[in-house]
Amino acid sequence: MKKIFIILISVFLAFNANAATLINDTEIESEITKIVAPIANAANIPENRLKIYIVNDDSFNAFVRGGEDVFIYTGLLKQIKSPNALRAVVAHEMGHTIGGHMIQISDRMSAEMMRTMIIQALGIGLMVAGGNPSAGAGVLAGSTGLAQQSMLSFSRDEERMADDMAVGLMVKANQDPNGLIEVFNQMHDINGAFETRVNPNKINHPLTTERLNNAKLKIKNLSNVPKSPVDKTAKENKDYEMLRAKLIGYLDSDKTILTKYPYKDKSNAAIYARAIANMRAGNLDVAKTGTQTLLKRHPKSPYFYELLGDIEYQYGHYDDSVDAYEQSLNLSNNAPQIETALAVVLAERNKSGDKERAGELCRRVILKEPSPLAYWILARVSDGATSDWAMAEFYKMNNDEKNAKKYAKMARTKAKKDSPEYIKSGDILKLKK
Ligand SMILES: [Zn+2]
């Protein structure tokens, strides 16, 4: 049994078990950033300010906060027909932000809803990490509640305005606005049966058919409808299929996975989904064979090495796991999530020099993308004041002020005056309730 993994689960699950879950995954986030970036640019948001959050919830839903924080539900990612349709959804949500429609929603958000959520990494066997309040958290209190809220809180006029703006943003970004039509057709399939029974005058939310017709008319009146180049679209679709396979492999049941990706399917996406599913089920040999096939086809993929690292970790082969993560780290240009995974395994292997390296990796993660997990590992691989200070930061990120202050006090008694640990612990002690 992997000690750290067991402790991690119990430590992190102790924090708000009912909160919404965000999925933290380098491959998925970077893929979606690529898809959405043209729309963000068209909305005058620089790509480096754009941040993608993946909400683990089966609703067909997405929303944007403050223009730059894009929240997309796994249900939408798994079901949506194409990357261009996904782009259109985000364009619509940005339309709400640009139109100022979000303000009324934020007003309605209670302080309670602005609190933490759980962030879950897909790697290392669905490792569960703690909430990250800096992640613009909050809007996601109960995810079901939120899904309903964002579906229902915009008026008919606002929805039409956002649809119009979506068409405008797609055109400005030089993307085919018919992505929006694709979305409405799909929503119609999902909601159709329900909508025919609803009197359009009695609800705020405009019926999909009405929105579909409005968008079609809007596109028809355009002087020039951008078309995505065929080869670029094919590449994007292929990359998207890998993202979808990963989500399905991690989140769905074996039955769903084998229906969508039967063994006779030898595509990269199918092998990927099955390898992940087999890892989850503990069929490590099968998972490893699949992953090695993928690596033979794509020896430069950081994510296939990441999966190999996860599988070796599950075996308890720490040396092989470390080797695979090191490869992944090099190829991914030091992605924080992979640095964290490597730190977990190093902390557990605990050969000479491993603790130091793990500590170094955690410090790098904390500089780039602070996470409770990075602080937690840092506390584990350090001693004295550093360890206590890191625990204080860990509790602070989980909104546990009492324990944060307890550890900050301990750190101050051990730390040299004016050392970073002393100063940062002092900041924690100054936190107001
Ligand atoms: Zn809307």
Side-chain angles (χ1 to χ4, degrees), residues 371-427:
S371 71
L373 181 56
Y375 282 118
W376 192 79
I377 305 280
L378 179 60
R380 217 187 131 84
V381 298
S382 320
D383 328 288
T386 305
S387 177
D388 291 340
W389 159 72
M391 276 317 280
E393 296 283 359
F394 165 81
Y395 281 114
K396 184 183 144 197
M397 289 197 89
N398 280 299
N399 289 328
D400 181 343
E401 197 181 304
K402 197 174 144 226
N403 276 310
K405 288 188 169 167
K406 184 179 115 190
Y407 278 94
K409 262 187 209 141
M410 283 157 57
R412 296 264 287 191
T413 59
K414 296 175 196 165
K416 275 201 212 96
K417 281 214 170 73
D418 300 326
S419 66
E421 286 84 356
Y422 188 87
I423 295 164
K424 286 176 188 162
S425 297
D427 292 342

Side-chain angles (χ1 to χ4, degrees), residues 358-369:
E360 198 183 290
L361 288 163
C362 289
R363 285 175 190 281
R364 277 160 56 177
V365 172
I366 289 163
L367 278 179
K368 288 184 278 191
E369 216 177 86

Side-chain angles (χ1 to χ4, degrees), residues 92-93 96 154 159 162 211:
H92 168 91
E93 297 304 328
H96 281 306
F154 294 118
E159 289 301 351
R211 294 174 65 186

Side-chain angles (χ1 to χ4, degrees), residues 25 27 122-125 242 245-246 249-250 268-280 284 286-292 294-295 301-315 320-321 324-325 328 337-338 341:
D25 184 80
E27 179 177 21
L122 290 181
I124 312 196
M242 295 306 282
K246 187 176 205 176
Y250 271 112
N268 285 343
I271 296 176
Y272 202 26
R274 289 194 304 259
I276 292 166
N278 276 308
M279 179 184 72
R280 280 172 60 207
L284 299 179
V286 187
K288 189 172 169 179
T289 307
T291 309
Q292 281 167 332
L294 292 171
L295 275 168
S301 162
Y303 310 117
F304 297 157
Y305 274 112
E306 184 188 12
L307 180 57
L308 185 62
D310 293 348
I311 294 168
E312 297 292 4
Y313 179 73
Q314 303 279 340
Y315 272 119
D320 294 333
S321 178
Y325 284 137
S328 176
Q337 191 214 324
I338 296 163

Side-chain angles (χ1 to χ4, degrees), residues 159-172 176-178 180-181 184 209-226:
E159 289 301 351
R160 201 190 48 245
M161 280 164 64
D163 289 342
D164 290 352
M165 269 190 266
V167 172
L169 284 172
M170 290 290 277
V171 173
K172 191 177 168 196
D176 187 347
N178 284 299
L180 200 62
I181 305 297
F184 289 141
T209 339
E210 187 185 318
R211 294 174 65 186
L212 174 66
N213 293 336
N214 169 60
K216 272 187 179 161
L217 188 69
K218 185 97 188 157
I219 294 171
K220 205 178 133 203
N221 291 334
L222 290 171
S223 53
N224 159 46
V225 180

